[in-house]
Amino acid sequence: MKNLPEDIQELSERIKKFKQQKQSESAKTSKSSARVAIEAIFRMATEFVSPVIIALCIGYVADRYWATKPILMLVSAIFGCAAGMLNLYRAAQQTDKDINKE
Amino acid sequence: MENPLEQFSIKKLVPLNFNGIDISFTNSSLCMLITILFVFLTLIFCLRKRNIIPTVGQAFSESIYEFIRSLIGETMGNDGAKYVSLIFTLFLFVACGNILGLFPYSFTFTSHIAAVGTLSVFFLLLNIVFGVKRRGAGYLRTFFPEGLPWLMAPLIIPVETLSLLAKPFSLTIRLAVNMSVGHIMLEVLGSFIIAMHFFGFIPLVADMCIIMFELFVALLQAYIYTTLSCVYLSQAISGEE
C-alpha cells in the first residue's frame, strides 16, 4: 500500500495535468469564438444589403420593360427588405448554433 | 496625383472576338492564369516526395488541406467529405489571387466584381445541381419551406428566391470591396511618399504597415469566402436553413 505523502504527490500531479488540459481547451475555444465572431462581422454587413440591391435591380429592369415606373421597383424593394431581414435572422441563428457547438 | 482607380483598369493583351462577343485575353486573365500555375507548381514541388515523415513542403500543403477538411467538417459534417477537393481548390484560388495581387506590377482580379461574380454564380449553380441531385424535387422546398400555409406562397416564394439570388452577390461584394479598398489606400499613401519630400518616410512607414495588414486581409477574406461557400453548399444539400 502506498504511503500518504506519495498519494498526495500523485494527486497534485494529476490536478496539475488536468488544469493544463483545461487551459489548452479553453484557449482552443476562445480561438474558435474569435473565428465565429469574424465570420459574423463580415457576414452580417452584406447579408441585409445584397437582397435589397438585387430586388431594386430586378424592379428597375421590370419597370423599364413594362413601363410601370416606379411601381414594380417599390414592390420589389419591399420584398428585398423582407429577404434581407430573413437572411439576417438566418445568419444570426447560424452564429448562435456555432457558439453553442463549442 | 495619379488616379488610384487606374490600377483596376482592364488592358487587352491579346484582342479576340467571337461572333461579336469580346473574349480578349486581358491582364486579369493573365493574372488568373499565373495564380493557377503558381498553385499547381507549388503543390507539385511540395508533394514531389511523399513520405510518412513529411518534409517542410509536404507538411505545409498537408496543413492547408487539413485546415480545409476541418472547416468542411465544422460546417457540413460527414456529408462534406466528397466536396473537400472543390472547396480546397476554391480557397487556394481566391487566397493566392488575393496575395499575388499585392505584388508590384501585378493585378488583383479578386477586386473585380465581374471575375468574383462569375466564380460566385458558378458556385451557386453548383449548389443547385448538388441540391437537386441529393434531394430531387425536394430541393424546391428551398423556395417554400414545409409547414407553411399555401396562402403564404405569393409572399414567401419571391422572398426566398431573392434570398437565394443574394447569396452570390453578397459573396462577391464582400470580397471585391475589401480587396479594392486596401489597394486604393496603398496607392493613395504611396503617392504621398514623393509629394511629401523629406517627410515622405511617414506615409512610407504607414504603407508598410498597411501592406502587412493587407496580407492578413487577403487570407481572411479567402477564409470568409470559403466558409460561406461551405455554409451555402451545406444549406443546399441538407435543406436546413
Side-chain angles (χ1 to χ4, degrees), chain A residues 39 42 46 87 90 101, chain B residues 74 160 163 170 174 221 223:
Chain A
E39 273 171 41
F42 281 100
T46 49
N87 275 0
R90 280 176 184 160
K101 219 188 270 179
Chain B
E74 278 169 24
E160 289 288 355
S163 175
S170 75
R174 194 180 301 113
Q221 285 308 317
Y223 166 72

Side-chain angles (χ1 to χ4, degrees), chain B:
Chain B
M1 196 173 97
E2 259 187 58
N3 182 4
L5 295 176
E6 210 178 290
Q7 57 179 317
F8 303 117
S9 59
I10 300 272
K11 287 164 195 152
K12 283 182 193 175
L13 300 178
V14 184
L16 291 170
N17 206 302
F18 180 73
N19 282 345
I21 303 166
D22 189 6
I23 52 161
S24 303
F25 188 79
T26 61
N27 51 350
S28 178
S29 326
L30 179 69
C31 279
M32 283 184 216
L33 209 63
I34 291 172
T35 305
I36 293 166
L37 278 175
F38 174 76
V39 172
F40 197 62
L41 293 176
T42 309
L43 285 182
I44 285 178
F45 178 75
C46 288
L47 298 171
R48 67 193 188 285
K49 286 178 201 161
R50 275 166 281 180
N51 298 323
I52 294 171
I53 301 165
T55 55
V56 178
Q58 191 185 337
F60 172 70
S61 37
E62 276 178 7
S63 63
I64 301 175
Y65 188 81
E66 278 304 316
F67 171 70
I68 298 297
R69 256 183 63 163
S70 71
L71 181 73
I72 292 173
E74 278 169 24
T75 49
M76 297 168 77
N78 293 331
D79 288 345
K82 54 183 166 183
Y83 305 107
V84 173
S85 43
L86 173 74
I87 304 292
F88 180 68
T89 313
L90 184 78
F91 175 76
L92 283 183
F93 182 65
V94 176
C96 291
N98 288 349
I99 291 169
L100 289 179
L102 286 172
F103 283 85
Y105 299 106
S106 181
F107 180 85
T108 324
F109 63 85
T110 45
S111 66
H112 272 257
I113 290 176
V116 186
T118 310
L119 189 66
S120 306
V121 169
F122 174 71
F123 211 79
L124 173 77
L125 294 176
L126 269 184
N127 281 359
I128 295 172
V129 169
F130 290 144
V132 171
K133 208 172 154 190
R134 171 66 76 91
R135 291 157 61 200
Y139 182 76
L140 292 174
R141 278 282 170 205
T142 308
F143 303 102
F144 191 70
E146 216 165 352
L148 286 176
W150 280 101
L151 269 174
M152 294 288 283
L155 286 175
I156 295 296
I157 292 172
V159 168
E160 289 288 355
T161 311
L162 279 172
S163 175
L164 182 81
L165 291 176
K167 283 173 183 173
F169 187 73
S170 75
L171 277 177
T172 307
I173 291 294
R174 194 180 301 113
L175 180 61
V177 167
N178 275 295
M179 294 320 294
S180 309
V181 167
H183 282 72
I184 292 171
M185 261 165 62
L186 282 174
E187 181 89 15
V188 171
L189 276 171
S191 66
F192 284 149
I193 296 173
I194 297 168
M196 285 176 76
H197 300 292
F198 179 71
F199 294 101
F201 70 91
I202 300 170
L204 180 69
V205 172
D207 230 9
M208 283 159 66
C209 295
I210 289 177
I211 282 190
M212 293 311 291
F213 182 65
E214 273 302 299
L215 201 63
F216 166 69
V217 169
L219 289 172
L220 181 73
Q221 285 308 317
Y223 166 72
I224 300 279
Y225 190 92
T226 315
T227 309
L228 290 181
S229 301
C230 283
V231 170
Y232 295 153
L233 184 60
S234 163
Q235 285 173 356
I237 58 172
S238 69
E240 284 173 19
E241 295 292 351

Side-chain angles (χ1 to χ4, degrees), chain A residues 2-20:
Chain A
K2 285 178 183 174
N3 56 19
L4 198 62
E6 268 181 6
D7 272 356
I8 290 170
Q9 211 176 345
E10 198 187 323
L11 184 66
S12 71
E13 266 177 21
R14 279 174 62 189
I15 290 169
K16 206 175 161 185
K17 250 187 200 171
F18 181 71
K19 273 185 181 172
Q20 277 175 350

